[in-house]
Amino acid sequence: MLDDALTWQPTAPLHPLDLPWLRQAGVQVAVLRLDLIDPLISGNKWFKLIGHLQAAAAQDAAGVISLGGAHSNHLHALAAAGKRFGFATVGLLRGHEQLTPTVQDLQDFGMQLHWLGYGGYRQRHQADFWGPWQARYPQFQPVAEGGGGAAGLIGCAQLLPMVTGQLAGLGWEDYHGWWLAAGTGTTLAGLVRAEAGAHRVFGALAVPDDHGVAGNVAGLLQAPGSGYELLDASRGGFAKADARLLAFIRDSEQQSGMPLEALYTGKALLALHQAVMAGRFASGTRLLFVHTGGLQGKRASVSVSGT
Ligand SMILES: *Cc1c(COP(=O)(O)O)cnc(C)c1O
């Protein structure tokens, strides 16, 4: 039931990241491994779901209905949580029916799937979009794409106490800031609000500038631009992978033993590499890198574009 989901309090380990370019620059990085909170419910998507599940439970919802693509980390986490805690889930999918490893899991987890095509999916922001679905699934709580919106922010504040409890174990008294991949910027906004200016939050944008992330973050925080910084890490487009990125991911995985994927975490670490090489952080700087998960999507092959 939804109530059982809300009593679950996963915690993620904080691991030092050992890479030659960090050592050379004297920059210390510890990774909050959200990919390790659970074998199935992985990454930042669980924390973005918490506020939505709270709203669903408060309304005695019969289940949760949401939308995403055929590789969606969000739908994957939602379906896995539904199976684990015994609440019904419905997924509205972009495009035409196809079987990806993600879609196979969604089916196995018992999520009810509907394929909207591309045109149908594009209408998701229109006022009358949810009406027919709510008629079909009465009392199901609708959740925005990716688990975003104001409710998505709430659970992301949990990342802060998770880290403060583990700093002593690293021999750290404090840290200078956070570094994480941003798609909608919801997770980043949750951290910025939790930090309340105490530490800076750097968001490595996995999507190009024109996706409106800056506006989304400012809207979520109801205050523009303080306590955080957004940097372009998209490398030409969301889900675009070039040879340089793939080689960097391969090398980093070998050197650190930490798995990465090419959509979010790999791009965020490469953007950090570029910032460190550009001398952005003085020797002695301590940063928290959030591993936001997404590894389930790695099972589908990535197409390489450009160089
Ligand atoms: C969704 C996702 C993000 C982006 O999270 P936002 O809150 O939308 O910024 C980052 N990393 C991974 C692995 C994700 O699945």
Side-chain angles (χ1 to χ4, degrees), residues 202-276:
F202 295 92
L205 287 171
V207 298
D209 233 17
D210 60 4
H211 280 228
V213 183
N216 187 47
V217 172
L220 286 171
L221 292 170
Q222 292 162 334
S226 86
Y228 65 95
E229 193 175 316
L230 300 172
L231 310 97
D232 180 32
S234 69
R235 306 189 67 80
F238 179 62
K240 283 222 172 101
D242 52 273
R244 163 93 178 93
L245 172 70
L246 296 179
F248 175 79
I249 288 175
R250 201 182 48 235
D251 291 348
S252 303
E253 286 181 329
Q254 272 170 11
Q255 290 161 347
S256 70
M258 177 175 79
L260 296 163
E261 44 67 57
L263 272 62
Y264 293 103
T265 51
K267 285 184 176 177
L269 189 62
L270 181 48
L272 177 60
H273 173 260
Q274 287 165 343
V276 166

Side-chain angles (χ1 to χ4, degrees), residues 15 38 53 72 74 77-78 87 92 102 110 116 130 134 136 181 208 210 219 221 232 247 251 279 283 297-298:
H15 288 167
D38 183 83
L53 297 182
S72 168
H74 161 65
L78 174 62
F87 62 89
L92 307 178
T102 304
L116 303 191
W130 285 104
Q134 281 174 311
R136 181 157 180 179
D210 60 4
L221 292 170
D232 180 32
D251 291 348
S283 179
K298 207 178 172 173

Side-chain angles (χ1 to χ4, degrees), residues 13-74:
L14 189 61
H15 288 167
L17 183 65
D18 187 14
L19 289 168
W21 47 273
L22 287 172
R23 237 178 295 144
Q24 257 157 38
V27 174
Q28 287 180 278
V29 174
V31 185
L32 185 64
R33 296 288 302 270
L34 299 186
D35 58 315
L36 297 178
I37 59 169
D38 183 83
L40 291 178
I41 309 173
S42 165
N44 64 330
K45 295 300 185 287
W46 165 254
F47 298 93
K48 294 175 75 177
L49 272 172
I50 292 171
H52 294 287
L53 297 182
Q54 285 171 349
Q59 295 177 32
D60 253 330
V64 177
I65 181 168
S66 192
L67 18 75
H71 305 284
S72 168
N73 294 326
H74 161 65

